[in-house]
mmCIF file of all heavy atoms in Angstrom:
data_model
loop_
_atom_site.group_PDB
_atom_site.id
_atom_site.type_symbol
_atom_site.label_atom_id
_atom_site.label_comp_id
_atom_site.label_asym_id
_atom_site.label_seq_id
_atom_site.Cartn_x
_atom_site.Cartn_y
_atom_site.Cartn_z
ATOM 1 N N ASN A 1033 -34.125 66.283 -16.196
ATOM 2 C CA ASN A 1033 -33.626 66.370 -17.538
ATOM 3 C C ASN A 1033 -32.966 67.755 -17.818
ATOM 4 O O ASN A 1033 -32.340 67.994 -18.816
ATOM 5 C CB ASN A 1033 -34.753 66.183 -18.532
ATOM 6 C CG ASN A 1033 -35.239 64.714 -18.421
ATOM 7 O OD1 ASN A 1033 -34.609 63.837 -17.941
ATOM 8 N ND2 ASN A 1033 -36.402 64.536 -19.104
ATOM 9 N N SER A 1034 -33.168 68.696 -16.832
ATOM 10 C CA SER A 1034 -32.610 70.015 -17.119
ATOM 11 C C SER A 1034 -31.143 70.017 -17.125
ATOM 12 O O SER A 1034 -30.454 69.459 -16.188
ATOM 13 C CB SER A 1034 -33.129 70.963 -16.013
ATOM 14 O OG SER A 1034 -32.563 72.217 -16.122
ATOM 15 N N GLN A 1035 -30.508 70.672 -18.087
ATOM 16 C CA GLN A 1035 -29.066 70.730 -18.181
ATOM 17 C C GLN A 1035 -28.449 71.445 -17.001
ATOM 18 O O GLN A 1035 -27.392 71.235 -16.532
ATOM 19 C CB GLN A 1035 -28.618 71.388 -19.469
ATOM 20 C CG GLN A 1035 -28.857 70.537 -20.652
ATOM 21 C CD GLN A 1035 -27.984 69.309 -20.734
ATOM 22 O OE1 GLN A 1035 -26.849 69.409 -20.193
ATOM 23 N NE2 GLN A 1035 -28.400 68.274 -21.306
ATOM 24 N N ARG A 1036 -29.225 72.415 -16.463
ATOM 25 C CA ARG A 1036 -28.735 73.238 -15.339
ATOM 26 C C ARG A 1036 -28.556 72.398 -14.124
ATOM 27 O O ARG A 1036 -27.714 72.652 -13.220
ATOM 28 C CB ARG A 1036 -29.725 74.406 -15.099
ATOM 29 C CG ARG A 1036 -29.306 75.315 -13.965
ATOM 30 C CD ARG A 1036 -30.222 76.509 -13.899
ATOM 31 N NE ARG A 1036 -31.598 76.104 -13.900
ATOM 32 C CZ ARG A 1036 -32.265 75.826 -12.713
ATOM 33 N NH1 ARG A 1036 -31.638 75.879 -11.624
ATOM 34 N NH2 ARG A 1036 -33.535 75.483 -12.789
ATOM 35 N N LEU A 1037 -29.390 71.349 -13.950
ATOM 36 C CA LEU A 1037 -29.370 70.499 -12.710
ATOM 37 C C LEU A 1037 -28.650 69.181 -13.000
ATOM 38 O O LEU A 1037 -28.715 68.310 -12.189
ATOM 39 C CB LEU A 1037 -30.731 70.246 -12.246
ATOM 40 C CG LEU A 1037 -31.580 71.485 -11.786
ATOM 41 C CD1 LEU A 1037 -32.958 71.041 -11.397
ATOM 42 C CD2 LEU A 1037 -30.887 72.252 -10.675
ATOM 43 N N GLN A 1038 -28.109 69.025 -14.186
ATOM 44 C CA GLN A 1038 -27.500 67.744 -14.512
ATOM 45 C C GLN A 1038 -26.343 67.414 -13.563
ATOM 46 O O GLN A 1038 -25.501 68.219 -13.314
ATOM 47 C CB GLN A 1038 -27.017 67.732 -15.905
ATOM 48 C CG GLN A 1038 -26.428 66.434 -16.343
ATOM 49 C CD GLN A 1038 -26.080 66.324 -17.783
ATOM 50 O OE1 GLN A 1038 -26.335 67.301 -18.527
ATOM 51 N NE2 GLN A 1038 -25.487 65.240 -18.338
ATOM 52 N N GLY A 1039 -26.319 66.197 -13.050
ATOM 53 C CA GLY A 1039 -25.282 65.778 -12.093
ATOM 54 C C GLY A 1039 -25.573 66.164 -10.674
ATOM 55 O O GLY A 1039 -24.813 65.731 -9.781
ATOM 56 N N MET A 1040 -26.645 66.860 -10.383
ATOM 57 C CA MET A 1040 -26.898 67.235 -8.969
ATOM 58 C C MET A 1040 -27.963 66.359 -8.344
ATOM 59 O O MET A 1040 -28.484 66.645 -7.300
ATOM 60 C CB MET A 1040 -27.459 68.698 -8.937
ATOM 61 C CG MET A 1040 -26.527 69.670 -9.709
ATOM 62 S SD MET A 1040 -24.802 69.590 -9.056
ATOM 63 C CE MET A 1040 -24.983 70.423 -7.468
ATOM 64 N N GLY A 1041 -28.232 65.227 -9.006
ATOM 65 C CA GLY A 1041 -29.165 64.206 -8.454
ATOM 66 C C GLY A 1041 -30.126 63.798 -9.537
ATOM 67 O O GLY A 1041 -30.558 64.490 -10.422
ATOM 68 N N GLY A 1042 -30.586 62.491 -9.417
ATOM 69 C CA GLY A 1042 -31.434 61.958 -10.367
ATOM 70 C C GLY A 1042 -30.815 61.473 -11.661
ATOM 71 O O GLY A 1042 -29.630 61.720 -11.891
ATOM 72 N N THR A 1043 -31.553 60.750 -12.473
ATOM 73 C CA THR A 1043 -31.000 60.213 -13.693
ATOM 74 C C THR A 1043 -31.200 61.187 -14.801
ATOM 75 O O THR A 1043 -32.319 61.714 -14.959
ATOM 76 C CB THR A 1043 -31.622 58.819 -14.021
ATOM 77 O OG1 THR A 1043 -33.046 59.022 -14.126
ATOM 78 C CG2 THR A 1043 -31.280 57.829 -12.960
ATOM 79 N N THR A 1044 -30.258 61.421 -15.633
ATOM 80 C CA THR A 1044 -30.437 62.276 -16.777
ATOM 81 C C THR A 1044 -30.803 61.424 -18.034
ATOM 82 O O THR A 1044 -30.573 60.275 -18.063
ATOM 83 C CB THR A 1044 -29.056 63.023 -17.064
ATOM 84 O OG1 THR A 1044 -28.046 62.062 -17.186
ATOM 85 C CG2 THR A 1044 -28.706 63.967 -15.907
ATOM 86 N N PRO A 1045 -31.394 62.121 -19.064
ATOM 87 C CA PRO A 1045 -31.832 61.371 -20.205
ATOM 88 C C PRO A 1045 -30.606 60.771 -20.971
ATOM 89 O O PRO A 1045 -29.508 61.314 -20.959
ATOM 90 C CB PRO A 1045 -32.573 62.416 -21.073
ATOM 91 C CG PRO A 1045 -31.966 63.735 -20.628
ATOM 92 C CD PRO A 1045 -31.682 63.579 -19.157
ATOM 93 N N ALA A 1046 -30.833 59.681 -21.659
ATOM 94 C CA ALA A 1046 -29.817 59.025 -22.443
ATOM 95 C C ALA A 1046 -29.388 59.964 -23.599
ATOM 96 O O ALA A 1046 -30.170 60.529 -24.350
ATOM 97 C CB ALA A 1046 -30.329 57.703 -23.009
ATOM 98 N N ARG A 1047 -28.100 60.177 -23.765
ATOM 99 C CA ARG A 1047 -27.523 61.013 -24.772
ATOM 100 C C ARG A 1047 -26.598 60.233 -25.684
ATOM 101 O O ARG A 1047 -26.524 58.986 -25.654
ATOM 102 C CB ARG A 1047 -26.859 62.239 -24.155
ATOM 103 C CG ARG A 1047 -27.765 63.061 -23.227
ATOM 104 C CD ARG A 1047 -27.097 64.207 -22.704
ATOM 105 N NE ARG A 1047 -26.815 65.200 -23.791
ATOM 106 C CZ ARG A 1047 -27.640 66.126 -24.204
ATOM 107 N NH1 ARG A 1047 -28.841 66.176 -23.677
ATOM 108 N NH2 ARG A 1047 -27.296 67.002 -25.178
ATOM 109 N N GLU A 1048 -25.820 60.947 -26.543
ATOM 110 C CA GLU A 1048 -25.061 60.279 -27.570
ATOM 111 C C GLU A 1048 -23.750 59.778 -27.129
ATOM 112 O O GLU A 1048 -23.048 59.035 -27.857
ATOM 113 C CB GLU A 1048 -24.839 61.237 -28.793
ATOM 114 C CG GLU A 1048 -26.130 61.695 -29.449
ATOM 115 C CD GLU A 1048 -26.843 62.808 -28.717
ATOM 116 O OE1 GLU A 1048 -26.339 63.299 -27.721
ATOM 117 O OE2 GLU A 1048 -27.906 63.230 -29.128
ATOM 118 N N GLY A 1049 -23.243 60.217 -25.970
ATOM 119 C CA GLY A 1049 -21.899 59.809 -25.535
ATOM 120 C C GLY A 1049 -21.780 58.330 -25.260
ATOM 121 O O GLY A 1049 -22.750 57.620 -25.211
ATOM 122 N N SER A 1050 -20.562 57.912 -25.160
ATOM 123 C CA SER A 1050 -20.203 56.507 -24.989
ATOM 124 C C SER A 1050 -20.322 55.981 -23.542
ATOM 125 O O SER A 1050 -20.182 54.808 -23.334
ATOM 126 C CB SER A 1050 -18.803 56.177 -25.503
ATOM 127 O OG SER A 1050 -17.839 56.920 -24.797
ATOM 128 N N ALA A 1051 -20.541 56.922 -22.524
ATOM 129 C CA ALA A 1051 -20.650 56.508 -21.138
ATOM 130 C C ALA A 1051 -22.043 55.810 -20.946
ATOM 131 O O ALA A 1051 -23.058 56.491 -20.879
ATOM 132 C CB ALA A 1051 -20.522 57.774 -20.254
ATOM 133 N N LEU A 1052 -22.014 54.518 -20.760
ATOM 134 C CA LEU A 1052 -23.281 53.743 -20.706
ATOM 135 C C LEU A 1052 -24.050 54.060 -19.406
ATOM 136 O O LEU A 1052 -25.244 53.919 -19.310
ATOM 137 C CB LEU A 1052 -23.000 52.239 -20.820
ATOM 138 C CG LEU A 1052 -22.427 51.812 -22.176
ATOM 139 C CD1 LEU A 1052 -22.209 50.341 -22.197
ATOM 140 C CD2 LEU A 1052 -23.321 52.275 -23.331
ATOM 141 N N LEU A 1053 -23.309 54.380 -18.325
ATOM 142 C CA LEU A 1053 -23.928 54.624 -17.046
ATOM 143 C C LEU A 1053 -24.156 56.093 -16.764
ATOM 144 O O LEU A 1053 -24.273 56.469 -15.578
ATOM 145 C CB LEU A 1053 -23.087 53.998 -15.937
ATOM 146 C CG LEU A 1053 -22.830 52.469 -16.086
ATOM 147 C CD1 LEU A 1053 -21.942 52.042 -14.916
ATOM 148 C CD2 LEU A 1053 -24.115 51.708 -16.059
ATOM 149 N N GLN A 1054 -24.196 56.902 -17.771
ATOM 150 C CA GLN A 1054 -24.457 58.341 -17.633
ATOM 151 C C GLN A 1054 -25.745 58.597 -16.909
ATOM 152 O O GLN A 1054 -26.792 58.158 -17.314
ATOM 153 C CB GLN A 1054 -24.394 59.086 -18.974
ATOM 154 C CG GLN A 1054 -24.880 60.501 -18.925
ATOM 155 C CD GLN A 1054 -26.046 60.725 -19.854
ATOM 156 O OE1 GLN A 1054 -26.110 60.003 -20.951
ATOM 157 N NE2 GLN A 1054 -26.967 61.503 -19.543
ATOM 158 N N GLY A 1055 -25.638 59.347 -15.767
ATOM 159 C CA GLY A 1055 -26.835 59.675 -14.991
ATOM 160 C C GLY A 1055 -27.225 58.592 -13.990
ATOM 161 O O GLY A 1055 -28.159 58.790 -13.197
ATOM 162 N N LEU A 1056 -26.576 57.433 -13.959
ATOM 163 C CA LEU A 1056 -26.972 56.343 -13.070
ATOM 164 C C LEU A 1056 -25.858 56.049 -11.976
ATOM 165 O O LEU A 1056 -26.152 55.310 -11.031
ATOM 166 C CB LEU A 1056 -27.171 55.000 -13.837
ATOM 167 C CG LEU A 1056 -28.241 54.979 -14.871
ATOM 168 C CD1 LEU A 1056 -28.266 53.700 -15.616
ATOM 169 C CD2 LEU A 1056 -29.622 55.221 -14.244
ATOM 170 N N VAL A 1057 -24.778 56.713 -12.042
ATOM 171 C CA VAL A 1057 -23.630 56.399 -11.131
ATOM 172 C C VAL A 1057 -23.779 57.235 -9.875
ATOM 173 O O VAL A 1057 -24.019 58.467 -9.904
ATOM 174 C CB VAL A 1057 -22.292 56.714 -11.807
ATOM 175 C CG1 VAL A 1057 -21.117 56.303 -10.876
ATOM 176 C CG2 VAL A 1057 -22.212 55.939 -13.157
ATOM 177 N N VAL A 1058 -23.586 56.610 -8.686
ATOM 178 C CA VAL A 1058 -23.628 57.199 -7.406
ATOM 179 C C VAL A 1058 -22.295 57.067 -6.728
ATOM 180 O O VAL A 1058 -21.701 55.969 -6.823
ATOM 181 C CB VAL A 1058 -24.790 56.589 -6.544
ATOM 182 C CG1 VAL A 1058 -24.786 57.257 -5.149
ATOM 183 C CG2 VAL A 1058 -26.112 56.729 -7.211
ATOM 184 N N CYS A 1059 -21.766 58.133 -6.139
ATOM 185 C CA CYS A 1059 -20.487 58.154 -5.458
ATOM 186 C C CYS A 1059 -20.664 57.373 -4.188
ATOM 187 O O CYS A 1059 -21.505 57.572 -3.369
ATOM 188 C CB CYS A 1059 -20.030 59.500 -5.175
ATOM 189 S SG CYS A 1059 -18.462 59.627 -4.254
ATOM 190 N N GLY A 1060 -19.770 56.356 -3.981
ATOM 191 C CA GLY A 1060 -19.846 55.540 -2.734
ATOM 192 C C GLY A 1060 -19.211 56.181 -1.558
ATOM 193 O O GLY A 1060 -19.238 55.643 -0.464
ATOM 194 N N VAL A 1061 -18.620 57.413 -1.725
ATOM 195 C CA VAL A 1061 -17.989 58.117 -0.583
ATOM 196 C C VAL A 1061 -18.963 59.131 0.027
ATOM 197 O O VAL A 1061 -19.171 59.108 1.252
ATOM 198 C CB VAL A 1061 -16.730 58.851 -1.087
ATOM 199 C CG1 VAL A 1061 -16.105 59.667 0.020
ATOM 200 C CG2 VAL A 1061 -15.776 57.841 -1.651
ATOM 201 N N CYS A 1062 -19.593 59.971 -0.807
ATOM 202 C CA CYS A 1062 -20.519 61.017 -0.280
ATOM 203 C C CYS A 1062 -21.959 60.758 -0.615
ATOM 204 O O CYS A 1062 -22.810 61.447 -0.113
ATOM 205 C CB CYS A 1062 -20.049 62.377 -0.809
ATOM 206 S SG CYS A 1062 -20.267 62.560 -2.592
ATOM 207 N N GLY A 1063 -22.251 59.822 -1.526
ATOM 208 C CA GLY A 1063 -23.654 59.532 -1.823
ATOM 209 C C GLY A 1063 -24.259 60.350 -2.869
ATOM 210 O O GLY A 1063 -25.460 60.194 -3.119
ATOM 211 N N CYS A 1064 -23.495 61.256 -3.509
ATOM 212 C CA CYS A 1064 -24.013 62.128 -4.553
ATOM 213 C C CYS A 1064 -23.911 61.454 -5.923
ATOM 214 O O CYS A 1064 -23.089 60.565 -6.128
ATOM 215 C CB CYS A 1064 -23.302 63.479 -4.540
ATOM 216 S SG CYS A 1064 -23.429 64.328 -2.998
ATOM 217 N N HIS A 1065 -24.690 61.967 -6.830
ATOM 218 C CA HIS A 1065 -24.632 61.432 -8.246
ATOM 219 C C HIS A 1065 -23.400 61.976 -8.940
ATOM 220 O O HIS A 1065 -23.046 63.186 -8.774
ATOM 221 C CB HIS A 1065 -25.806 61.890 -9.040
ATOM 222 C CG HIS A 1065 -27.052 60.957 -8.762
ATOM 223 N ND1 HIS A 1065 -27.400 59.966 -9.663
ATOM 224 C CD2 HIS A 1065 -27.872 60.918 -7.711
ATOM 225 C CE1 HIS A 1065 -28.508 59.346 -9.193
ATOM 226 N NE2 HIS A 1065 -28.771 59.859 -7.957
ATOM 227 N N MET A 1066 -22.697 61.134 -9.633
ATOM 228 C CA MET A 1066 -21.473 61.486 -10.304
ATOM 229 C C MET A 1066 -21.729 61.947 -11.699
ATOM 230 O O MET A 1066 -22.608 61.438 -12.441
ATOM 231 C CB MET A 1066 -20.556 60.278 -10.316
ATOM 232 C CG MET A 1066 -20.252 59.732 -8.965
ATOM 233 S SD MET A 1066 -19.142 58.235 -8.960
ATOM 234 C CE MET A 1066 -17.590 58.927 -9.430
ATOM 235 N N THR A 1067 -20.984 62.952 -12.131
ATOM 236 C CA THR A 1067 -21.159 63.471 -13.523
ATOM 237 C C THR A 1067 -20.241 62.679 -14.426
ATOM 238 O O THR A 1067 -19.397 61.906 -14.064
ATOM 239 C CB THR A 1067 -20.734 64.948 -13.554
ATOM 240 O OG1 THR A 1067 -19.405 65.147 -13.069
ATOM 241 C CG2 THR A 1067 -21.698 65.740 -12.591
ATOM 242 N N THR A 1068 -20.383 62.963 -15.730
ATOM 243 C CA THR A 1068 -19.668 62.310 -16.769
ATOM 244 C C THR A 1068 -18.723 63.258 -17.464
ATOM 245 O O THR A 1068 -19.145 64.323 -17.894
ATOM 246 C CB THR A 1068 -20.597 61.646 -17.791
ATOM 247 O OG1 THR A 1068 -21.522 60.797 -17.155
ATOM 248 C CG2 THR A 1068 -19.856 60.830 -18.816
ATOM 249 N N ALA A 1069 -17.463 62.848 -17.694
ATOM 250 C CA ALA A 1069 -16.498 63.621 -18.410
ATOM 251 C C ALA A 1069 -15.795 62.649 -19.383
ATOM 252 O O ALA A 1069 -15.838 61.465 -19.201
ATOM 253 C CB ALA A 1069 -15.544 64.303 -17.467
#
Side-chain angles (χ1 to χ4, degrees):
N1033 294 344
S1034 175
Q1035 288 292 329
R1036 180 173 54 86
L1037 299 178
Q1038 183 174 356
M1040 307 305 288
T1043 58
T1044 54
R1047 302 183 67 85
E1048 297 82 1
S1050 59
L1052 297 182
L1053 301 179
Q1054 168 237 326
L1056 298 177
V1057 184
V1058 179
C1059 178
V1061 177
C1062 65
C1064 300
H1065 278 258
M1066 303 178 71
T1067 58
T1068 304

